[in-house]
Amino acid sequence: MTSHTRRRRPSILIAGLLALVLIAAACTEDKKDTTSTGGGGGGGGDGVTISGPETGAEADGFQAALDEFTKTSDIEVTYSGSRDFESQIRVAAEGDNLPDIAVIPQPGLVADLADKITPVPKETLDANKDSYDPYLWDLVTVDGTVLGVPNKGDVKSLVWYSPSTFEDKGYEIPETWDDLMTLADTMKADGIAPWCVGIESGEATGWTLTDWMEDIMLRLHGPEVYDQWVKHEIPFNDPKVKEVAQMVEDIWFTEGNVLNGRQSIASTGFAQAGLPITDGSCGMHRQANFYAANFSDANPDIKFGPDGDVDAFYLPTMSDEFGKVTLSGGTYIVAFNDDADTLAALDFLASEDYANARIKADFGGFLSPNQEHDTSLYSSDLDRTLAEILVTADPVRFDGSDNMPSEVGAGTFWKEGTNWVLGTNELDQFLDNVEASWPK
């Protein structure tokens, strides 16, 4: 997913990533947080509509890149984003009211919508196939047909922190999981909540819990067991899965570990959850690289990097047994019709020109999986580092819940997990309910 550049720091090396899916819906003038998904069948001089899950600064960056395409093609392309996109696109599909193009955040959702999606044209594939890791194409290939093009990539195995807080308190970047747990205890003793955690995200509430469990599963049991879990070769209530959930429980539910306590987690918005690290209210926030856009939304003048207001370090491993295990994610672009304008926009979105235009727009929160793009265009050392190592993580695994059947990964895993966090379900009930929901 890129051309690469690697930034090293004395005690930190952030590990890398892959990429995936974006989604399309109706036009709207408000790119910040819209909820419409109507339209579809555009082009023909009427413009192309795209919808997806990106809002705020990320949506503005996407639209800025699309505007560059409009300048050279005379095809007007308009993006609208919503945090409830996954739910809305399903409703739009059922009502045959789809946008021209969509940004899809789960390969499983691409497969669910396969009969509505226009396959990627051979010309677009031939021109761009070698620019991406083959694994990324495989994730959205159904019955031998490629249905989407990689849009953005995310490094998820990251922990955000305040360099000034670490310097003032004499904290060191942890190199091992034990170091991380010791650091958390030290922060708590210093009167700082070690973790900022929030899983509220509208109808997608609970997705941040899935990332925590996936990262811990990779570190505790390794990629082989991780793959078995995602493919349901072991049940969701397997003792190994329970062990992972218990580790999350120990971190999240122990008094003093999370800012404002356990009962705040389900009601604290994902977009706001990590912001308190900038004022020292909490020490760390485990979240993907795209969270940078939320810091920028809150403070347009914020500076990233080891000498800035916020920086990130690689979430440490628990042993050397499994290598530099890294959780990744991303979005894909899919088309819902074969109109000439729609396919022209899809072709642009598959290209390095799109990646370069979006990076130059400099709204943050975006890393390209396109191996041909110009990584020197990123404005921060952090983004350049992540872009450079995007495809060098070894081993790397794509977001597990995004690869599970969508009724599980974007359904019961979210909902039952949220109930567990709220305390309305016990741990065993959470795992048993998700297992019972798995399609036969």
Side-chain angles (χ1 to χ4, degrees):
M1 306 187 180
T2 54
S3 60
H4 315 319
T5 61
R6 187 183 293 270
R7 175 177 65 99
R8 298 186 188 274
R9 297 182 47 199
S11 59
I12 166 178
L13 180 59
I14 306 175
L17 159 245
L18 299 177
L20 284 233
V21 253
L22 257 155
I23 204 162
C27 278
T28 176
E29 292 182 353
D30 179 11
K31 302 189 290 287
K32 295 280 184 179
D33 192 7
T34 65
T35 56
S36 66
T37 51
D46 297 328
V48 176
T49 60
I50 301 181
S51 66
E54 295 177 312
T55 61
E58 288 183 288
D60 291 341
F62 190 29
Q63 186 64 54
L66 296 173
D67 291 344
E68 290 301 310
F69 170 68
T70 297
K71 290 177 185 176
T72 59
S73 67
D74 288 331
I75 299 171
E76 184 177 354
V77 186
T78 306
Y79 173 77
S80 63
S82 169
R83 297 192 189 282
D84 294 329
F85 169 76
E86 291 94 333
S87 299
Q88 293 170 3
I89 199 66
R90 290 181 184 281
V91 173
E94 290 172 4
D96 253 350
N97 193 28
L98 289 159
D100 300 311
I101 291 174
V103 180
I104 307 289
Q106 296 112 13
L109 181 54
V110 174
D112 287 349
L113 298 174
D115 62 342
K116 303 285 187 180
I117 295 173
T118 299
V120 178
K122 183 177 184 301
E123 296 78 8
T124 297
L125 272 179
D126 289 346
N128 297 284
K129 196 160 191 176
D130 292 340
S131 298
Y132 297 90
D133 189 301
Y135 172 76
L136 296 180
W137 297 111
D138 291 344
L139 288 172
V140 287
T141 299
V142 176
D143 295 332
T145 300
V146 179
L147 298 179
V149 299
N151 172 59
K152 61 176 277 193
D154 299 317
V155 180
K156 293 202 167 192
S157 298
L158 297 177
V159 179
W160 293 93
Y161 73 102
S162 163
S164 62
T165 297
F166 271 50
E167 182 177 359
D168 291 345
K169 297 293 186 179
Y171 301 150
E172 296 289 335
I173 301 297
E175 299 284 352
T176 68
W177 188 266
D178 286 343
D179 291 343
L180 180 66
M181 295 298 101
T182 298
L183 174 59
D185 288 341
T186 301
M187 289 178 171
K188 191 157 58 169
D190 289 341
I192 299 172
W195 297 101
C196 295
V197 183
I199 66 171
E200 189 281 322
S201 188
E203 293 188 30
T205 294
W207 71 262
T208 50
L209 166 65
T210 71
D211 283 5
W212 269 81
M213 288 187 62
E214 289 153 7
D215 250 331
I216 291 177
M217 175 65 83
L218 280 174
R219 284 154 177 74
L220 182 62
H221 295 300
E224 184 176 344
V225 173
Y226 180 92
D227 292 344
Q228 293 170 353
W229 175 47
V230 172
K231 296 175 183 177
H232 204 223
E233 292 172 359
I234 60 173
F236 203 93
N237 52 4
D238 185 270
K240 292 185 177 69
V241 183
K242 183 174 181 178
E243 190 177 0
V244 168
Q246 285 172 326
M247 290 189 69
V248 175
E249 184 175 276
D250 289 344
I251 295 172
W252 285 19
F253 301 169
T254 298
E255 187 175 354
N257 275 2
V258 171
L259 182 66
N260 298 320
R262 173 183 180 176
Q263 291 304 316
S264 72
I265 293 175
S267 60
T268 298
F270 145 76
Q272 294 76 41
L275 302 182
I277 67 171
T278 60
D279 63 17
S281 299
C282 67
M284 298 178 288
H285 182 55
R286 194 230 66 90
Q287 190 51 270
N289 61 280
F290 53 71
Y291 197 79
N294 297 96
F295 286 119
S296 295
D297 280 345
N299 177 10
D301 297 323
I302 200 162
K303 292 180 172 58
F304 297 96
D307 300 318
D309 302 299
V310 290
D311 197 14
F313 60 82
Y314 170 69
L315 181 68
T317 57
M318 296 179 187
S319 72
D320 295 330
E321 180 181 359
F322 305 119
K324 198 93 172 180
V325 289
T326 302
L327 183 66
S328 72
T331 59
Y332 283 93
I333 304 286
V334 303
F336 290 115
N337 61 62
D338 61 0
D339 181 89
D341 286 358
T342 296
L343 297 184
L346 181 71
D347 190 67
F348 168 72
L349 290 165
S351 71
E352 64 188 273
D353 292 338
Y354 158 68
N356 292 338
R358 183 156 178 180
I359 294 162
K360 281 193 283 190
D362 197 21
F363 282 87
F366 176 79
L367 294 175
S368 175
N370 187 306
Q371 295 172 344
E372 307 300 324
H373 85 272
D374 184 356
T375 58
S376 70
L377 295 173
Y378 291 101
S379 63
S380 75
D381 287 343
L382 179 61
D383 280 350
R384 279 191 293 274
T385 299
L386 294 171
E388 291 290 344
I389 63 176
L390 195 59
V391 293
T392 63
D394 186 22
V396 66
R397 285 296 185 271
F398 194 79
D399 185 294
S401 62
D402 287 354
N403 274 318
M404 293 174 182
S406 57
E407 58 261 58
V408 176
T412 54
F413 197 171
W414 292 354
K415 294 184 178 72
E416 299 296 338
T418 298
N419 289 336
W420 169 57
V421 172
L422 285 168
T424 56
N425 274 357
E426 295 298 323
L427 174 55
D428 286 337
Q429 187 180 3
F430 157 41
L431 302 179
D432 290 345
N433 287 351
V434 178
E435 171 60 23
S437 74
W438 206 286
K440 306 301 182 187

